[in-house]
Amino acid sequence: MEGQIYQLLSGFYLIHAANNQQYTAKARGKFRKNKVKPMVGDFVDFSVDENDEGYILDIQSRKNYLIRPSVSNVDQAVVVTAVVEPDLSLNLLDRQLVTLTAKNIKPIIYFSKLDLVNEQETYDKLMTLAQNYQTIGYTVVLNDSEQLRKEFKNCLTVFMGQTGAGKSTLLNKLDPALQITTNQISNTLNRGKHTTRKVSLYSIEDGLIADTPGFSSYDDFNVASKELYKCFPEFKQLSQNCKYRECQHINEPHCAVKEALEQQEIMDSRYKNYLQFYQQIKQSEHQY
């Protein structure tokens, strides 16, 4: 039989089969031997014996996968980004956007907790920030679950973001039947507790969504330093006007990206994050 893995729990895989039935299965020993592990989102071939014990036989080819969160065959990802509690981190946001772009996964930026912003000046800055990301070409949703709901049809959508950003609260708003546990933010640590401990797929609006464990840091780039600029859509477009074909937009003369930065045509925070990511990836490349 064929099916898709919807959940992994205690060594058992919950598989949704083509006949709309659900089965639990274990992975054959060959996967461990070959150092391959089935992931939530995988399409698999499996068998069920007379005792209703299922075994995964093969993993079908993946179109992509994420290590953090651990999901495969992803169409798009909702990057839940709190504007307060925890504090807004554009560095963390851009890290996630780079990873998704490198994996050919459509990012959707969801700014949460706007209702907790009391100062008009701060709110106006956030609106400008959202517009800047929209101008780059990203889909941006501002605390509007109904607008987000329209994006799910015929897609596998991952929800990802910093611990305490409000993923579980948002998912419960989208579908109250999920009843996902949520926790308050720790005032001492300025972050939430890890309420989601496993990756699970749920059906919403003719699509599948994945609730995933939160994180306090994020370093999963999986892109070469010389290819990093291509994960910044505005840099990739501007690079066509650079004098040198292999321009990395750091020290090279006649660089269209740096010229745009001087003219304030691109976000200063994006360029600073690009430099930091580039150095981090470059250092990692030297180590290996």
Side-chain angles (χ1 to χ4, degrees), residues 243-266:
K243 180 177 181 179
Y244 299 102
R245 184 176 179 182
E246 299 297 324
C247 184
Q248 294 300 304
H249 322 298
I250 299 176
N251 298 315
E252 301 88 344
H254 306 293
C255 170
V257 172
K258 290 193 294 182
E259 290 172 2
L261 178 67
E262 292 174 2
Q263 298 298 320
Q264 298 183 335
E265 295 172 356
I266 59 176

Side-chain angles (χ1 to χ4, degrees), residues 45-205:
D45 300 316
F46 70 102
S47 64
V48 179
D49 63 21
E50 63 275 7
N51 298 317
D52 288 332
E53 293 183 350
Y55 294 92
I56 296 175
L57 306 175
D58 283 298
I59 301 170
Q60 298 178 16
S61 178
R62 297 165 175 161
K63 71 176 182 180
N64 60 36
Y65 66 92
L66 293 168
I67 296 175
R68 191 179 185 192
S70 181
V71 190
S72 67
N73 299 310
V74 180
D75 297 301
Q76 58 188 15
V78 177
V79 183
V80 182
T81 304
V83 296
V84 293
E85 299 182 15
D87 296 336
L88 175 64
S89 171
L90 296 183
N91 186 282
L92 179 58
L93 172 59
D94 286 339
R95 285 175 182 270
Q96 295 170 88
L97 295 177
V98 165
T99 297
L100 295 172
T101 303
K103 295 286 188 178
N104 198 29
I105 296 170
K106 175 189 173 183
I108 300 173
I109 303 171
Y110 184 91
F111 285 116
S112 64
K113 303 189 179 182
L114 281 167
D115 54 315
L116 299 181
V117 178
N118 298 318
E119 297 181 3
Q120 186 63 44
E121 182 179 356
T122 301
Y123 185 86
D124 291 342
K125 288 181 179 179
L126 289 170
M127 293 302 101
T128 299
L129 178 69
Q131 181 60 54
N132 287 340
Y133 275 97
Q134 284 180 319
T135 299
I136 292 170
Y138 294 111
T139 298
V140 179
V141 180
L142 299 170
N143 220 30
D144 186 344
S145 58
E146 289 307 310
Q147 179 186 350
L148 192 60
R149 188 185 293 271
K150 300 174 184 177
E151 303 282 345
F152 296 153
K153 190 173 183 179
N154 300 324
C155 290
L156 195 164
T157 305
V158 166
F159 276 64
M160 57 193 296
Q162 185 178 13
T163 300
K167 297 189 309 299
S168 296
T169 299
L170 173 58
L171 285 167
N172 285 336
K173 190 181 295 184
L174 289 165
D175 188 351
L178 295 178
Q179 296 184 335
I180 298 170
T181 303
T182 61
N183 275 334
Q184 296 294 322
I185 294 291
S186 164
N187 290 327
T188 304
L189 299 177
N190 193 29
R191 58 183 174 88
K193 296 180 180 179
H194 294 259
T195 54
T196 304
R197 300 186 183 277
K198 62 182 182 299
V199 179
S200 304
L201 298 185
Y202 304 99
S203 297
I204 292 184
E205 294 293 326

Side-chain angles (χ1 to χ4, degrees), residues 8 19 33 42 50 52-53 73 110 211 213 220 224 251 269:
L8 166 62
N19 60 5
K33 181 179 178 180
D42 277 343
E50 63 275 7
D52 288 332
E53 293 183 350
N73 299 310
Y110 184 91
D211 183 24
D220 182 30
N251 298 315
S269 61

Side-chain angles (χ1 to χ4, degrees), residues 65 67 94-104 218-232 248 273-274 276-286 288:
Y65 66 92
I67 296 175
D94 286 339
R95 285 175 182 270
Q96 295 170 88
L97 295 177
V98 165
T99 297
L100 295 172
T101 303
K103 295 286 188 178
N104 198 29
Y218 195 90
D219 297 312
D220 182 30
F221 289 119
N222 196 33
V223 61
S225 57
K226 66 180 182 180
E227 301 291 322
L228 177 62
Y229 76 91
K230 296 179 182 179
C231 297
F232 287 73
Q248 294 300 304
N273 288 337
Y274 169 76
Q276 181 185 338
F277 301 164
Y278 183 88
Q279 293 300 326
Q280 183 177 341
I281 296 170
K282 198 75 173 175
Q283 184 178 3
S284 177
E285 289 171 344
H286 284 314
Y288 291 99

